[in-house]
Amino acid sequence: MAKVTFISADGATRTELEAPVETTILELAHKNNIDLEGACEGALACSTCHVIIHSDYLDRLPEPSEEEEDMLDLAFGLTLNSRLGCQIEITDELEGMEITLPAATRNMMVGS
Ligand code: FES
């Protein structure tokens, strides 16, 4: 288990969770009613699982694959700390990580 905190786009809501290792950020969000979409369910075919990772934790994550980078390029509000939530598995090393939700997502799969 690792403790992680989701922060809403406006910073007003912080949700602290105990995350089982090997769960992805997307799965964790869905299990806990966090507003992270994940339209393609982790198939690297959308960018609606875009999250912003606290700088202290970026180096502890595996490098993004080329496919992840391609999809991230399509995300609204891209930052240097942006990653796709479905591609990041929780590990013990991520204890204390803060994950901020972006202000908007572009859902290209269902066109909303
Ligand atoms: Fe579609 Fe992550 S859920 S790329």
Side-chain angles (χ1 to χ4, degrees):
M1 289 280 188
K3 197 178 291 169
V4 302
T5 303
F6 282 93
I7 303 174
S8 62
D10 61 4
T13 311
R14 296 172 63 93
T15 310
E16 206 175 280
L17 298 169
E18 289 288 342
V21 293
E22 292 179 17
T23 309
T24 65
I25 288 177
L26 180 66
E27 288 164 349
L28 188 65
H30 281 180
K31 280 195 194 117
N32 293 281
N33 294 323
I34 304 285
D35 192 16
L36 185 62
E37 195 172 308
C40 78
E41 301 288 343
L44 272 179
C46 73
S47 57
T48 60
C49 62
H50 173 205
V51 290
I52 299 160
I53 304 290
H54 191 287
S55 305
D56 291 354
Y57 291 85
L58 269 187
D59 288 350
R60 302 186 203 180
L61 301 177
E63 290 286 309
S65 64
E66 218 169 285
E67 289 85 354
E68 182 180 345
E69 283 187 343
D70 286 350
M71 278 299 139
L72 271 173
D73 283 343
L74 303 173
F76 272 138
L78 190 68
T79 73
L80 287 175
N81 293 21
S82 291
R83 294 294 302 262
L84 292 180
C86 68
Q87 299 301 305
I88 296 173
E89 281 192 351
I90 302 297
T91 63
D92 289 331
E93 274 198 311
L94 301 180
E95 169 73 29
M97 180 167 66
E98 291 184 349
I99 304 160
T100 304
L101 302 176
T105 60
R106 168 160 44 190
N107 185 340
M108 299 199 314
M109 287 201 64
V110 293
S112 65

